[in-house]
Amino acid sequence: MDLRAMDLTTLAAEAFQYGYPLLTSLAAVERNRGAYNTFTHQRRFEDQRNANPDLLYSTARLDLSGGPLWLGVPDTGDRYHVLQFVDAWTDNFAYVGRRSTGSGEREFLLVPPGWAGREAPGAQVIRIPTMVTTLIGRFACQDPQDATEVHALQDALRIDPLYPQVPLDGLPHPQPGVPDDLLFFETLRRSLAAFPPSPAERRYQRRFASIGLLEPGPSPYTGAPRELRETLRDGLAAGQEQLEEEATTRHAGLVNGWTNDLHLFDYNLDYFEVGTLDTPEWTMPDRDEAHLMRAVAARTGLWGNHAYEAVAPTVHKDRDGERLTGAHRYEVRFSGSPPAEAGWSLAVYDVPGSRPVPNQLGRRAIGAATPGLRRDPDGSLTIRIQHERPDDDANWLPAPEGGFRPVLRMYQPGPPVLRGEFRPPPVVRV
């Protein structure tokens, strides 16, 4: 292989890493079959992978190609809630909710890129970086009985187009006739044109001109020479291999066996609307590093939120480094409640399925909202994790017969968490 081919292979691998988050995000948007600019609501807790035992979700895929949108949010009392805004590139650029905008009734005007209209009386303007954006709403829900109130809040969410008669562009699609092994690059080419990033990112993108990603009009890949096809295919494979390696090795160091990367989602460097923190603590100083972390986040936790909104450390091994399994009994002892202003919970999922554990109590998790928890005489809280139901099940968190992993969720985590001072206690075999 000549030097130029090697350079193009490296460039194609970089293009995969760079474009993977964008295409992964758009694919998820396309899988959501709900109409644009309307909410789809989760009404009940379901037995699904990584099901959150504390929240009910309301999601909407937004298309602002038809103009601005009104967003109405009801009064939620003191209930934890957040509406997370994620652009096409997976950047979290705004949060509306208990932490950032309070719990009172609010109205927002969501405006598309380049909008030059006037400010909206009575509404806060949120500038949307990309024409297609994902809105993820989360509402705290204690149990099925509490769900009725949450459903009413979900139904009170509203999105109203300012110009409802204007048709929407939707998502771009690859030009027909492109060979299958080049579809990634063709889809990325069309998506780069449809969802241009910040000026700083556009300068970065210039490096991809030589492999056709910035070509306007007809696809350069329909009649690509065999040598170029092989080079791009090799680069794609190399990029995929590199990302898988990074996804399994790039994480924060373990604390008592728990993984908790507080800064996995700090890769947004350009767009900061309401609720986001544009500070050195919550942004990455190096743009290349930000690109890599954005790809890793899309691979391991698409559309996750910043740690200052919520965190979810997880653990796979006990204090002695042994894999957790329902064949043994364990304890987790908190000296006090985990420092979280809007509540916390500890849940267990089976391995490798990542599904909740069916049990006699119907207990999905133990946390701040669990009735009847018993504290130790010194005020600490000991949670017992095991498969068999104990005689005293007040603090019992059911485990499956086989392997499992606990997840500790903290909503609006306190300063000790965000400063890395809070150390989740080890899981101890008893």
Side-chain angles (χ1 to χ4, degrees):
M1 181 181 292
D2 62 32
L3 182 60
R4 180 177 179 276
M6 292 176 61
D7 290 343
L8 290 181
T9 301
T10 301
L11 200 59
E14 292 178 2
F16 172 82
Q17 176 187 297
Y18 183 75
Y20 176 84
L22 175 62
L23 298 196
T24 301
S25 182
L26 295 180
V29 169
E30 190 160 34
R31 287 194 298 270
N32 179 356
R33 296 301 181 182
Y36 283 106
N37 304 331
T38 60
F39 278 104
T40 299
H41 304 299
Q42 176 198 9
R43 297 301 198 183
R44 61 187 179 88
F45 300 105
E46 297 182 7
D47 181 20
Q48 58 186 351
R49 287 177 57 85
N50 299 309
N52 190 309
D54 311 314
L55 307 175
L56 291 180
Y57 288 75
S58 294
T59 59
R61 54 178 191 170
L62 308 181
D63 186 343
L64 288 96
S65 59
L69 305 169
W70 295 104
L71 170 65
V73 181
D75 188 327
T76 58
D78 195 43
R79 184 184 301 271
Y80 174 75
H81 73 289
V82 62
L83 300 181
Q84 172 191 350
F85 292 75
V86 190
D87 72 8
W89 288 88
T90 74
D91 289 332
N92 297 319
F93 64 92
Y95 295 94
V96 167
R98 183 181 185 273
R99 174 189 63 85
S100 55
T101 57
S103 298
E105 183 177 1
R106 294 289 300 271
E107 190 166 75
F108 300 87
L109 183 64
L110 315 182
V111 302
W115 186 75
R118 293 178 294 178
E119 299 299 303
Q124 182 171 356
V125 172
I126 298 179
R127 299 185 180 276
I128 309 297
T130 55
M131 286 298 183
V132 169
T133 286
T134 301
L135 182 54
I136 306 168
R138 301 175 174 93
F139 291 88
C141 186
Q142 296 182 13
D143 50 46
Q145 289 70 40
D146 188 35
T148 301
E149 293 186 16
V150 176
H151 296 168
L153 295 174
Q154 292 176 311
D155 291 337
L157 291 170
R158 61 178 180 82
I159 300 172
D160 298 311
L162 191 60
Y163 306 111
Q165 71 281 5
V166 178
L168 305 178
D169 293 341
L171 297 175
H173 293 92
Q175 179 180 308
V178 174
D180 289 346
D181 55 354
L182 297 182
L183 273 179
F184 177 89
F185 296 101
E186 170 61 10
T187 306
L188 181 56
R189 181 185 75 93
R190 296 293 299 272
S191 299
L192 290 177
F195 307 111
S198 68
E201 287 293 293
R202 293 187 199 187
R203 288 192 293 271
Y204 180 89
Q205 284 181 9
R206 292 173 187 166
R207 69 182 65 197
F208 302 128
S210 60
I211 57 174
L213 288 179
L214 305 186
E215 289 291 325
S219 173
Y221 305 117
T222 53
R226 180 177 58 83
E227 294 81 3
L228 179 59
R229 286 183 61 177
E230 292 177 353
T231 297
L232 295 180
R233 187 172 60 234
D234 291 344
L236 185 66
Q240 291 171 328
E241 183 178 352
Q242 291 165 11
L243 178 56
E244 291 302 314
E245 176 67 17
E246 295 289 349
T248 56
T249 59
R250 287 188 76 86
H251 54 73
L254 298 179
V255 176
N256 287 334
W258 296 80
T259 59
N260 183 27
D261 195 336
L262 296 175
H263 301 286
L264 179 61
F265 297 98
D266 292 356
Y267 47 78
N268 173 24
L269 303 178
D270 300 304
Y271 297 108
F272 298 90
E273 295 290 312
V274 59
T276 51
L277 301 181
D278 182 11
T279 63
E281 295 88 350
W282 299 105
T283 53
M284 295 182 179
D286 181 80
R287 195 166 289 270
D288 288 334
E289 177 74 4
H291 294 159
L292 175 58
M293 293 307 291
R294 183 175 65 188
V296 170
R299 176 66 182 85
T300 60
L302 181 68
W303 298 345
N305 50 250
H306 283 94
Y308 49 76
E309 185 64 46
V311 297
T314 188
V315 60
H316 291 84
K317 297 180 179 180
D318 65 18
R319 182 176 58 184
D320 299 320
E322 299 294 328
R323 289 277 179 182
L324 300 174
T325 170
H328 304 301
R329 295 180 294 123
Y330 304 90
E331 289 183 350
V332 179
R333 183 177 180 274
F334 294 93
S335 59
S337 295
E341 297 177 12
W344 65 275
S345 75
L346 182 66
V348 160
Y349 299 88
D350 67 15
V351 173
S354 292
R355 295 187 179 276
V357 181
N359 61 89
Q360 299 148 292
L361 297 184
R363 179 171 283 172
R364 305 183 310 275
I366 279 182
T370 303
L373 286 182
R374 293 201 180 102
R375 295 273 177 176
D376 299 331
D378 62 357
S380 60
L381 176 64
T382 300
I383 297 176
R384 295 170 178 83
I385 306 177
Q386 60 188 68
H387 179 62
E388 297 295 334
R389 182 176 182 174
D391 294 336
D392 181 356
D393 58 19
N395 292 12
W396 175 45
L397 185 56
E401 291 186 87
F404 67 89
R405 64 181 179 91
V407 176
L408 174 63
R409 293 182 171 92
M410 292 174 279
Y411 304 97
Q412 288 183 233
V417 176
L418 301 182
R419 290 196 298 260
E421 298 167 359
F422 170 72
R423 299 173 63 85
V427 180
V428 180
R429 179 177 168 182
V430 296

